[in-house]
Amino acid sequence: DSGVTQTPKHLITATGQRVTLRCSPRSGDLSVYWYQQSLDQGLQFLIQYYNGEERAKGNILERFSAQQFPDLHSELNLSSLELGDSALYFCASSPNEGDQFFGPGTRLTVL
Amino acid sequence: KNEVEQSPQNLTAQEGEFITINCSYSVGISALHWLQQHPGGGIVSLFMLSSGKKKHGRLIATINIQEKHSSLHITASHPRDSAVYICAPKPTSGTYKYIFGTGTRLKVLA
């Protein structure tokens, strides 16, 4: 157990819908990273937050947004969902932008 | 051409064998992670390297920043090492963006 929690574990929704994925980092970790893993694209870095501020952006679509709250938990919002958004979404946390600790992931299925 | 190349893509070994997985990348980097993903999907970060060599138990990771190459070695392999191993270089682009290899699927037979 990495100490990082993600909810929900599984999510099934329809095209066009909007969902919110939640991540609680390890106690004291200031950095949160979001990743997407799909069968055809592999792992991709989406976005990083550090102590509430956006620190880096990767391959995150405009339909996706994220934020980190004062208690350091983070949410990834996915809107206007498409079939191709079906994937595993991981968050990871880090105390020092070095070693990362991954959550168990949220499996999103868009029908 | 992909920015990150891993080899081999698939590897089957007998228990006890010494295993090497290679990662080559084409961009300048400041560090590199090795990740392990088990069949259930969970990901564990094994190492973060910026130079030289690190060892943790039966796992050894090396990196040569100038040659743009890293290796992950597993000594005395065991069936529980069966997983996908992914290298993730961190480019020196001024951001914290990571890029990922496609992974090496390792199966260790008892």
Side-chain angles (χ1 to χ4, degrees):
Chain A
D1 184 355
S2 66
V4 178
T5 60
Q6 288 187 249
T7 56
K9 286 188 180 175
H10 303 276
L11 194 48
I12 301 174
T13 189
T15 54
Q17 296 297 305
R18 173 190 168 95
V19 297
T20 297
L21 313 184
R22 182 187 169 105
C23 171
S24 293
R26 295 186 328 152
S27 176
D29 285 359
L30 298 178
S31 272
V32 170
Y33 304 79
W34 284 98
Y35 300 95
Q36 179 194 57
Q37 186 178 39
S38 60
L39 281 176
D40 56 345
Q41 299 275 351
L43 259 175
Q44 292 192 87
F45 167 73
L46 295 178
I47 197 164
Q48 181 207 355
Y49 281 84
Y50 181 85
N51 201 21
E53 300 288 326
E54 181 184 303
R55 183 63 74 102
K57 241 179 183 176
N59 299 320
I60 188 164
L61 299 171
E62 284 192 11
R63 301 183 285 109
F64 295 1
S65 65
Q67 55 183 326
Q68 186 179 28
F69 294 87
D71 67 352
L72 300 178
H73 91 271
S74 179
E75 293 181 355
L76 179 67
N77 300 297
L78 316 176
S79 62
S80 303
L81 285 168
E82 301 175 2
L83 296 177
D85 298 326
S86 295
L88 264 171
Y89 291 84
F90 289 99
C91 81
S93 74
S94 173
N96 52 15
E97 298 181 309
D99 290 333
Q100 293 186 30
F101 299 86
F102 283 77
T106 292
R107 185 175 295 277
L108 173 67
T109 302
V110 182
L111 301 174
Chain B
K1 185 179 188 302
N2 291 334
E3 292 175 307
V4 186
E5 299 276 355
Q6 280 188 239
S7 63
Q9 288 188 313
N10 294 284
L11 181 55
T12 300
Q14 292 293 326
E15 184 174 358
E17 283 186 17
F18 181 84
I19 288 161
T20 296
I21 299 169
N22 295 299
C23 175
S24 297
Y25 46 90
S26 57
V27 298
I29 70 167
S30 58
L32 180 144
H33 283 266
W34 278 101
L35 308 176
Q36 179 192 54
Q37 186 168 29
H38 278 282
I43 296 177
V44 175
S45 176
L46 299 173
F47 295 103
M48 190 188 77
L49 292 166
S50 54
S51 66
K53 178 176 168 177
K54 281 192 177 179
K55 184 175 190 291
H56 184 247
R58 296 179 295 105
L59 302 178
I60 302 166
T62 63
I63 190 167
N64 187 317
I65 292 280
Q66 288 74 26
E67 292 189 4
K68 294 185 166 59
H69 183 267
S70 178
S71 293
L72 176 68
H73 306 283
I74 304 175
T75 61
S77 59
H78 189 276
R80 65 175 173 267
D81 297 326
S82 299
V84 176
Y85 292 84
I86 301 168
C87 75
K90 185 175 172 185
T92 52
S93 60
T95 70
Y96 292 84
K97 176 180 170 180
Y98 285 90
I99 53 177
F100 295 91
T102 52
T104 294
R105 187 175 299 274
L106 170 65
K107 186 170 185 178
V108 181
L109 304 174

